[in-house]
Amino acid sequence: MLSNYFSGDVDGFSGEMSETDVQIVTSGGLRIPTHSSVLAGASTVLENILVRPEKRRSSARTIRILGVPCDAVSVFIRFLYSSKCTEEQMERHGIHLLALSHVYLVPQLKQRCTKGLAERLTIENAVDVLQLARLCDAPDLYLKCMKFLSSNSKKVEETEGWKFLQHHDPWLELEILQFMDEAELRKKRTKRHRRELSLYLQLSEAMSCLEHICTEGCTSVGPFDKEPSHKRQPCSKFATCQGLQLLIRHFATCKRRTNGGCLRCKRMWQILRLHASICDQPDDCRVPLCRQFKLKVQQRGDDELWKSLVRKVVSATAMSSLSLPKRKREEEPRMDLSNHQVMNFRLEA
C-alpha cells in the first residue's frame, strides 16, 4: 500500500507500485525513481515535460530538478505521491517546497507551504520569506510578511536580510516602507474612529437618560406633578444618569446662565438642543425646550456641522442596538457625567 510505500528511504521508491519509468535527478546527483503517471497527475508542468517527443522516445527518461537541496526534492516527490508533508519537513524545507510548488504548479502544496511559512515567521527570516512570497505569487503570505515587518520594524532593520535588501532590492524596500506608513495611518484612523464612536454612543446614552429623567424621574430629579408609580431608584445607567441630574440641578439654579458666562450651562443647552434634533414626538415630549428648539430649527434651519453630529449619534444608537445583546449593552462601561467629560464633545463632521 502507499502508506508502506512511503515509509522507507528515498531509494525505496520503486517498491510496491508498477515499475518506475522516470528518474528525478537533483543538484547533488541523487536519482529518485518515480512513475510518470503520478508525476503527470500531480503537476501539469511535469506532465508537459513528460509528453515532449524526446522524453517519449527515451527508454530511461529523466527530469532534472536543480537549485534546491536533495532532501527538499525528496520531500517534494513524496508529496506528489502522498499529498502529505510533516511539520518537521515544513520546518526544514518550507522555503524550498514553496518554490518547487510554484514552479511545478502544485497548488495543494503551495497552500500548505504558504500557511506553514506564515506560522513560522521570525525576525531573521521575514525578509527572505517576503521576497520569496513576491516571486512565487503568494499574496496571503506576502501580506502576512508585510504585517509582521510593520509590527517588528525596529528589530528587522538590524538583520542581515534587511541590509541585503537595502543594497540589492530598493524597490521592495520602498514597498515595505510605504506599507508601514499606510498601516500607521490606518491604525490612527481606526483609533480616531473608535474614539468618535464611543463619544456618539455616550451622547446617545445621555439622550436616553434625559428622557428617562424628565418622563419618569430618577432619584432627586424629575417631574413631580404626579406621584410616581414606584419608588425612584438609581437606573441601570447610573453614572450617566447621576451626571445629568447634577447638571440639570445646576442649570436650574445657576445665576450666570442668562448672560452665557457658565460653561456647564452651555453644555446643558447643547444636550437639550441635541435631544430636540433627535426627538420624533415633540408634542408629547416632557423634556424642557424640546418644542421651542424644534420651532427654531423650522424657522432658521440647522447648520451642516450640527446635522452631521445628529446623524452620527442616531447611527451609533442603531449600531449599538443591533450589534450587541441586551445583557452585554447593560454591562458596557458608563460615562461619568459627574465629571462632565461628555459635555466637551466637539461638533465635528
Side-chain angles (χ1 to χ4, degrees):
M1 300 298 290
L2 285 179
S3 59
N4 296 325
Y5 180 76
F6 287 103
S7 62
D9 294 329
V10 173
D11 296 335
F13 272 18
S14 57
E16 301 180 7
M17 296 183 71
S18 59
E19 185 177 355
T20 59
D21 54 354
V22 178
Q23 285 197 341
I24 303 296
V25 180
T26 69
S27 299
L30 177 66
R31 290 180 173 269
I32 306 174
T34 59
H35 301 81
S36 59
S37 59
V38 174
L39 300 183
S43 166
T44 55
V45 174
L46 292 174
E47 181 184 17
N48 292 334
I49 294 174
L50 291 169
V51 298
R52 292 174 183 172
E54 65 274 14
K55 295 293 183 182
R56 290 202 301 262
R57 289 195 299 267
S58 176
S59 57
R61 292 187 288 180
T62 61
I63 298 177
R64 297 181 182 277
I65 299 182
L66 309 177
V68 293
C70 299
D71 290 345
V73 178
S74 299
V75 174
F76 175 67
I77 299 301
R78 286 177 180 273
F79 186 88
L80 298 184
Y81 276 84
S82 65
S83 298
K84 294 180 181 179
C85 180
T86 66
E87 293 296 323
E88 181 182 357
Q89 291 169 341
M90 183 59 60
E91 183 75 33
R92 295 178 59 189
H93 308 295
I95 290 179
H96 300 109
L97 291 175
L98 176 59
L100 290 170
S101 67
H102 175 71
V103 171
Y104 292 101
L105 296 181
V106 186
Q108 187 177 0
L109 177 59
K110 188 174 183 178
Q111 184 179 12
R112 175 75 174 84
C113 292
T114 298
K115 181 180 178 181
L117 290 174
E119 295 172 349
R120 292 170 172 80
L121 285 177
T122 65
I123 299 296
E124 296 298 327
N125 72 8
V127 174
D128 295 332
V129 175
L130 174 65
Q131 290 176 303
L132 182 63
R134 188 173 67 161
L135 290 172
C136 294
D137 189 24
D140 291 344
L141 181 58
Y142 179 86
L143 181 59
K144 183 76 173 181
C145 292
M146 280 293 198
K147 291 181 177 179
F148 183 88
L149 291 172
S150 180
S151 302
N152 302 274
S153 57
K154 297 298 183 182
K155 294 181 180 179
V156 170
E157 289 173 1
E158 298 175 359
T159 63
E160 291 299 322
W162 181 262
K163 296 174 183 177
F164 180 87
L165 180 70
Q166 287 180 307
H167 289 92
H168 296 86
D169 198 344
W171 287 109
L172 181 56
E173 180 190 6
L174 181 60
E175 284 184 32
I176 296 172
L177 294 176
Q178 288 176 337
F179 182 90
M180 290 179 180
D181 289 341
E182 292 171 0
E184 186 64 26
L185 288 175
R186 286 194 299 270
K187 188 184 298 183
K188 289 180 180 179
R189 285 196 299 267
T190 300
K191 186 177 181 180
R192 184 174 66 250
H193 174 73
R194 289 177 177 173
R195 186 168 58 247
E196 291 176 353
L197 180 59
S198 175
L199 174 61
Y200 299 139
L201 287 172
Q202 290 174 3
L203 289 172
S204 171
E205 187 173 275
M207 297 301 100
S208 175
C209 286
L210 181 63
E211 292 182 18
H212 159 67
I213 292 171
C214 295
T215 303
E216 303 173 0
C218 191
T219 60
S220 61
V221 175
F224 293 94
D225 56 341
K226 60 180 181 179
E227 274 304 311
S229 58
H230 54 83
K231 184 179 179 181
R232 292 187 177 92
Q233 297 290 342
C235 63
S236 59
K237 303 171 185 177
F238 175 74
T240 304
C241 194
Q242 183 187 47
L244 266 177
Q245 291 183 60
L246 293 174
L247 199 61
I248 291 171
R249 291 168 66 182
H250 167 84
F251 183 75
T253 59
C254 180
K255 296 180 180 179
R256 292 188 298 163
R257 173 167 50 113
T258 55
N259 58 16
C262 180
L263 180 61
R264 296 174 68 185
C265 290
K266 287 181 180 179
R267 301 300 180 225
M268 191 66 221
W269 277 109
Q270 288 179 318
I271 287 183
L272 293 173
R273 179 186 173 189
L274 182 58
H275 162 79
S277 300
I278 296 173
C279 181
D280 57 357
Q281 295 179 333
D283 294 335
D284 300 324
C285 183
R286 297 176 65 91
V287 176
L289 304 177
C290 182
R291 283 188 293 272
Q292 288 86 333
F293 274 118
K294 287 283 188 183
L295 291 173
K296 185 177 180 180
V297 171
Q298 291 175 4
Q299 295 171 359
R300 302 182 183 180
D302 267 335
D303 60 83
E304 291 301 320
L305 205 57
W306 185 267
K307 290 179 181 178
S308 176
L309 174 67
V310 173
R311 286 195 300 268
K312 289 177 179 179
V313 172
V314 173
S315 176
T317 304
M319 289 173 57
S320 176
S321 62
L322 291 174
S323 61
L324 295 175
K326 181 178 179 182
R327 182 177 179 182
K328 187 174 182 179
R329 289 200 304 271
E330 292 177 351
E331 294 173 353
E332 286 290 302
R334 307 297 181 185
M335 61 178 175
D336 187 2
L337 285 182
S338 60
N339 293 329
H340 312 295
Q341 294 174 351
V342 75
M343 300 311 162
N344 296 316
F345 66 86
R346 296 172 297 169
L347 305 183
E348 294 179 338

